[in-house]
Amino acid sequence: MFVPVDWDIGAIREYGLNETTGCQNGWVYYNTLYESTIVTDFDLVCDRANFVGLAQMVLMGGILLGSFVFGPVTESFGRKRATQITTLIILIFQLTTALSPNVYFFFASHFMLGFGSGGYRVSSVILTTEWIGPSRRSWGAIMSQLINAVGQCIAAGVIYLIRQWRVIQFITVAPPAVTLTYLWFIPESARWLLSRGWTEEASQLIIKVAAINKRPVPDTLLENMVVKEDVKKKGGIKVIFRSPALTKYFGILTLGWFALNLAFLCLYFNMRNLGFNIFITQLLFGATEILANLLCVWLLEVFGRKLLLVATLMMGGLACLLILAVPQENGTAVTSLAVAARFFLVGGVCVCNVYVQELFPTSARQTATALGAMIGRSGAVVAPLLNMLAVYHRAIPIAVYGSLAAVSGALCFLLPETRRKELPESAEEVENNRNETSEE
């Protein structure tokens, strides 16, 4: 606003008195779309408009740190205990976020909410997959993403009906509250118990599970599992970077994982600027993710890991770049391309979750999975910052994440195919398989 002065209009014009200042009397907002948001409650406009992007970055930073911290916690205290702790963190900080008196308290609470969410994803997926046999292990990662997509669709309906962010935040407390009650009845991972030397407890759980599934327990099962755990303890990050083949595979796969998460979250955080109804866009994003996850289970066996990862990355990147060829005013076309891009990117994330477990030997598989997921999630932290560059030109973020996805997809041609192949047990086995493939 112009700074008020006690001069007449002629003098103001003559002397050019046009100094401006920030708003001094508060703000008035239209409530045609929402009744209240963090923007209207905390006045995140003008010089504070970037706080919206900062809120997204804070959440993603919390998820990244939670993934990093709860990796070792899961190893030390168990999969079940880590899952219970992270669920409690989510429950507490969803409540405190809804009660935030100012934007800085909101940031702190939002960060801790992300911290719990990142830790929950790590501990719950490991707990799930370690109770599933090798032939169905990919379902553990894919089903968790599928349920996440279902949640997005439900969120679109809840937000459409309730336009107040604090009320919605209170509603989202219900799922972790229910989860926390039944987590006490879920068994601990038998593999983790064996790795800690608690053979008797693991034996009882395995016998109980076998009875539920009506399957016999082989006499040599526990002995074989103990041997496998001993092999894993001798591995780690050194195994990856001492092997040229594993280093190359790790670099290519994590670059693709990073590009997928960067493009995936950039599109999601920019959803309100696509020019289409935001509620329908949210519903379409969730619905396409459900379809992508379901198709991925089948396509992984039909086309294999390598070809599917190349296709999803390159097609997702191309769909993002095509957004630049469409006028921004054409909201339907822009949203259609964004939904198509999200479909391919979700498929790529599914492939990465399975591929990383099959590329690396037993002695480094868990380390590679944890590091790969953490590097991939770092793309989610960068996404809000990249979207902020749109103030200079809307094409900058789209060109960056679209090109990165396409280039990383091309690099994936250098990865080996792992479909229907035995999992490698050592780095030497990976190197030998690479040499045999090169000779052929």
Side-chain angles (χ1 to χ4, degrees), residues 31 39 41 77 92 100 106 132 145 149 187 196 201 215 227 233 292 324 330 332 355 374 400 406 411 422:
N31 60 356
V39 174
D41 278 12
F77 297 101
I92 292 172
S100 299
F106 175 85
I132 301 176
Q145 291 184 203
R196 311 301 289 186
E201 292 86 344
R215 297 290 182 89
V227 171
K233 289 180 182 178
L324 298 176
N330 193 340
T332 302
Y355 214 172
M374 191 175 70
V400 171
L411 288 173
E422 291 293 330

Side-chain angles (χ1 to χ4, degrees), residues 356-416:
V356 70
Q357 298 183 46
E358 298 178 343
L359 275 176
F360 296 92
T362 303
S363 55
R365 188 169 298 129
Q366 186 169 338
T367 300
T369 302
L371 283 177
M374 191 175 70
I375 293 172
R377 288 191 182 99
S378 65
V381 179
V382 177
L385 295 174
L386 182 59
N387 272 347
M388 289 181 187
L389 297 179
V391 298
Y392 302 106
H393 197 287
R394 82 176 188 99
I396 294 176
I398 300 173
V400 171
Y401 62 72
S403 300
L404 184 61
V407 170
S408 59
L411 288 173
C412 289
F413 277 112
L414 301 175
L415 295 174

Side-chain angles (χ1 to χ4, degrees), residues 149-296:
V150 172
Q152 285 194 47
C153 294
I154 296 173
V158 172
I159 297 170
Y160 179 79
L161 295 172
I162 303 170
R163 309 294 179 94
Q164 300 180 43
W165 77 274
R166 292 184 190 271
V167 176
I168 294 170
Q169 195 69 37
F170 280 123
I171 291 174
T172 59
V173 173
V178 173
T179 303
L180 194 61
T181 58
Y182 69 70
L183 279 177
W184 298 98
F185 305 101
I186 291 178
E188 178 58 90
S189 166
R191 290 179 181 273
W192 180 79
L193 290 172
L194 286 167
S195 71
R196 311 301 289 186
W198 296 328
T199 308
E200 184 62 31
E201 292 86 344
S203 175
Q204 292 176 1
L205 284 177
I206 291 172
I207 292 171
K208 181 179 179 180
V209 171
I212 294 172
N213 292 333
K214 298 179 180 180
R215 297 290 182 89
V217 181
D219 295 335
T220 58
L221 179 62
L222 291 179
E223 180 183 347
N224 290 338
M225 290 184 68
V226 170
V227 171
K228 288 184 179 180
E229 291 297 334
D230 289 339
V231 171
K232 285 185 180 181
K233 289 180 182 178
K234 298 176 183 178
I237 193 170
K238 292 181 181 179
V239 174
I240 298 173
F241 293 106
R242 283 176 179 171
S243 166
L246 290 178
T247 302
K248 182 178 77 171
Y249 298 161
F250 185 77
I252 294 172
L253 188 63
T254 51
L255 176 63
W257 214 336
F258 175 87
L260 285 165
N261 279 275
L262 179 65
F264 183 86
L265 270 300
C266 276
L267 286 171
Y268 187 77
F269 289 148
N270 197 42
M271 183 169 51
R272 66 183 182 277
N273 297 323
L274 294 178
F276 201 62
N277 184 289
I278 191 170
F279 303 108
I280 296 178
T281 303
Q282 170 77 17
L283 181 62
L284 289 173
F285 275 7
T288 53
E289 287 190 32
I290 293 174
L291 179 61
N293 280 283
L294 291 174
L295 282 176
C296 202

Side-chain angles (χ1 to χ4, degrees), residues 395-439:
I396 294 176
I398 300 173
V400 171
Y401 62 72
S403 300
L404 184 61
V407 170
S408 59
L411 288 173
C412 289
F413 277 112
L414 301 175
L415 295 174
E417 179 55 68
T418 59
R419 178 183 55 165
R420 297 171 188 169
K421 292 185 178 180
E422 291 293 330
L423 297 179
E425 294 294 336
S426 65
E428 291 75 16
E429 195 173 320
V430 174
E431 292 285 352
N432 293 335
N433 289 338
R434 184 186 67 164
N435 295 332
E436 291 174 6
T437 303
S438 300
E439 291 174 2

Side-chain angles (χ1 to χ4, degrees), residues 121 141-142 145 257 348-357 369 373:
R121 178 64 190 271
I142 292 177
Q145 291 184 203
W257 214 336
V349 172
C350 289
V351 180
C352 282
N353 284 324
V354 176
Y355 214 172
V356 70
Q357 298 183 46
T369 302

Side-chain angles (χ1 to χ4, degrees), residues 103-143:
V103 69
Y104 302 106
F105 188 94
F106 175 85
F107 282 166
S109 186
H110 216 41
F111 178 85
M112 290 304 300
L113 178 58
F115 180 78
S117 299
Y120 179 84
R121 178 64 190 271
V122 170
S123 55
S124 63
V125 168
I126 293 176
L127 178 59
T128 301
T129 55
E130 288 188 346
W131 273 114
I132 301 176
S135 62
R136 294 289 184 272
R137 190 163 293 152
S138 61
W139 279 84
I142 292 177
M143 287 302 294

